[in-house]
Every structure is written in structure tokens, then in C-alpha cells.
Amino acid sequence: KVVALKAYPTEIALKSRFDYAQLVLTAELASGEQLDVTRMADAEETGDLVHVSRSGLVRPGAEGSGALKFSLGEQSVSVPVEVTGQTQIVEASFVRDVMPILSKAGCNAGTCHGAQKGKMGFALSLRGYDPLFDHRALTDDLAARRNNRSAPDRSLMLQKPSGAAPHGGGVLFGPDDPYYQILRSWIAGGVKLDLESPRVTGLEIFPKNPIVPLPQMQQQMIVKATYSDGTVRDVSAEAFIESNNTEVVEADDDVPPVEDAEDDPLAAGDGEGADAQVDLPPAGLEFDPAILGEAVLGDVEAGHHFEAGHQLPLIAAGRCVPALEDAVDPVADAEVVFERLEVDVGGALVDGFA
């Protein structure tokens, strides 16, 4: 049973139209275990104040203040939100804003324009290690056709990734996407090169040492960057999160474990890095997080018995354990299932899910 719902960060302040904040929602069970429920909790409508993605990324909508309320079962949590600076012109930085976008979109990857000889006559430094080279490539090559300061939307560096012009890399983002708007702001502001812009001096990843109860469950991560001028910024959307053991954890915007063991996801950005250890229980129980959502999380805990007749969608998303391969119906009577199911998870003998 879920006895508490917690949110991190505990409050959000968005001070420009390009600011965002990544939320992580954690459910505390009666057993003392903690579980990431960022994608499971229901969010109440906030009008136009902010927009919240399925993964918990909060972006500004309109100026004002209010609260984001999330609920799961009988538990809820509120996060105060203040949005300002939405009418102010944001001067995008080439080093701080544009370069991370080029990296996250894959433009300067080794398989694209970051290759030794570039791609289709356009070369960028690999993973953005040389901002001066990249700035010249975007502003000087082809008689500066890649940017159009008088009509930013006609710039090749916007038309190609948005699908307005043929692009070998396909459509990466649309005109309403924040990445498009940041690049457009930089072009409209004069394609300035700011090599003295504050650089990232450190990264922090949250949660530090999460314990994921079951394989195939997910853990949302937050990455914050500290800059040389002392400012701290949420860079979860731009940071690269990689696993040092892909047999245990595969990182792709979130962390879905696939085996039992320990692993250290690494968050990297602007040459800096941070890591967090992820612990998993022993293998032997396959699980799809959709089951939790359908079965009501509060009913699924170690040692809990369902009442006879309680229907649990057990097979619809995949078998839970090999022993249940001979289950007759896709939806089984929970009492029958639990009579057959005893799994040693994390060293504790339980007769349900943990």
C-alpha cells in the first residue's frame, strides 16, 4: 500500500520561456520501500500556467503562480510553481544553449556531421569539442546560407531539422519545439559567438542511489549543472545518460532495468560527468510497469493477499514468471495466482509482488 507520495524538487520557479524543471515522483510503501511513480501518478490540470509531459518535464505556459497536484491512489502531493519572464526576450547563448542542442539532436555525432569529413559537405566538431569551428561552419560556410538573420525561419539550420527542407537526418523538431525556438532566438540575435560564456563545472544526478524493486521497471533521473558563475540549471533534457553495464540498465531518457545487479548510470554534459548507483533485486520475475497501473499500486505490495475474485491483468502485458506459462486465462483470479507464486526478492520470501 502507498502511504506517502513525494516530489522532487519540492517547488519550481521558471524564470524564462526556455526554462524547465524535471520532476521525480516517489511513492513510499507501507513496507518501507520506495518506488518511482513519475509516469503513473495523475496530474491535475493547471490551465495555461505550465505544461507537464508524461515523463514529468515541466515547461512554462503563462506567467503566474499556482501549484501542481499529483495523486496516486489515496495519496497526493502538491508542488508550488511560479512562472515569470515569459514576455522578455531571451538572448540565447551559442556555447550554453545552441551547442547542447546540436549534441542532443545528434547533429555533431560521429554518424552525422561530427564525422571526420562531415556529412553532405557540412562538418561539425565531434560532440561539440570546438565551439569556434562549429560557429564558423554555421555562420561562414556556403556564404552564410545556414542562417538568415533577417528571416530566421528561412535559415537552413532551422528548415532542415524541422522538415521544411530535405534533410538526410529526418525531422528532429518542429517550429513549436523549444529547441527550434532557442536556435531561432540565437539567429535573430545576430548569431553571436560567446566563448567567455559560463561553462559547466559540475553535474549532479538525482536520485543518487535508487533501488529499483523489479526488472523492467523505470527510474526517472534529474540532471542539474553548476556553471562557472555559480548558477545551477536543470539540464535533464540535454544531458546524456549512459550505462556502464547495459546488461543491467539501459538508459534512454529514463532507466529501465533488465537484470539483477548493480550499475552506475553516468550523466555527461559539456565535458563534465556525474554518476549514480542503481541497485536491483535478483532476477527471475519479469514485470511490465503497466500492470501496476491497471492493478492499482496500493494493492501490489510484498506480503499482500488479494481477496478471492479480484481480477489481476497478469498475462496481457507478458508473463510474470515462467511458472505461470500454463495459466489458462489472460486475466487470472488473483487468489489462485498467489497460491502458486512465491518469489524470493531481495532476500525476503514474499507471496506477492515486491
Side-chain angles (χ1 to χ4, degrees), residues 103-354:
S103 294
K104 192 64 177 182
C107 305
N108 54 25
T111 55
C112 197
H113 301 293
Q116 183 176 8
K117 297 183 179 180
K119 182 86 69 173
M120 302 295 290
F122 177 36
L124 293 170
S125 64
L126 182 62
R127 289 298 184 194
Y129 73 87
D130 190 343
L132 178 59
F133 177 89
D134 293 343
H135 184 269
R136 288 174 175 171
L138 291 167
T139 59
D140 293 343
D141 284 1
L142 296 177
R145 286 181 55 227
R146 293 194 175 96
N147 71 87
N148 188 330
R149 282 173 269 184
S150 60
D153 294 302
R154 299 182 64 181
S155 304
L156 280 179
M157 64 178 295
L158 287 178
Q159 288 189 323
K160 283 181 172 288
S162 66
H167 182 219
V171 177
L172 302 177
F173 43 74
D176 294 330
D177 190 280
Y179 285 174
Y180 182 103
Q181 293 298 323
I182 291 173
L183 295 179
R184 188 186 188 283
S185 174
W186 176 70
I187 296 170
V191 296
K192 298 175 183 177
L193 175 62
D194 52 345
L195 292 178
E196 301 304 317
S197 174
R199 301 296 186 97
V200 176
T201 58
L203 290 178
E204 182 180 10
I205 191 168
F206 175 89
K208 290 288 187 182
N209 300 299
I211 297 177
V212 181
L214 291 171
Q216 301 306 319
M217 296 187 73
Q218 297 177 322
Q219 174 65 59
Q220 179 63 51
M221 311 299 284
I222 296 175
V223 183
K224 291 188 176 183
T226 300
Y227 289 79
S228 53
D229 62 354
T231 59
V232 178
R233 183 183 185 187
D234 192 324
V235 294
S236 303
E238 288 75 47
F240 288 87
I241 297 183
E242 300 177 346
S243 171
N244 69 356
N245 186 350
T246 55
E247 295 298 321
V248 175
V249 173
E250 295 177 346
D252 182 15
D253 294 328
D254 40 36
V255 183
V258 293
E259 292 291 346
D260 62 296
E262 296 180 352
D263 182 56
D264 294 298
L266 172 69
D270 199 16
E272 298 295 327
D275 66 349
Q277 178 176 295
V278 177
D279 294 329
L280 291 88
L285 183 64
E286 297 177 8
F287 186 77
D288 189 306
I291 294 176
L292 276 182
E294 294 181 38
V296 183
L297 183 63
D299 289 335
V300 184
E301 72 169 298
H304 181 82
H305 285 281
F306 288 89
E307 295 180 1
H310 188 117
Q311 297 296 301
L312 179 64
L314 192 63
I315 311 299
R319 293 188 300 274
C320 284
V321 291
L324 298 180
E325 289 185 12
D326 59 348
V328 178
D329 297 318
V331 177
D333 185 289
E335 186 174 85
V336 175
V337 170
F338 285 113
E339 284 178 356
R340 291 194 262 163
L341 177 60
E342 284 191 344
V343 184
D344 186 1
V345 178
L349 189 64
V350 300
D351 53 1
F353 292 104

Side-chain angles (χ1 to χ4, degrees), residues 44-46 49 65-69 78-81:
E44 287 190 4
E45 293 290 336
T46 60
L49 182 63
S65 59
L68 275 171
K69 184 176 180 180
S78 292
V79 180
V81 178

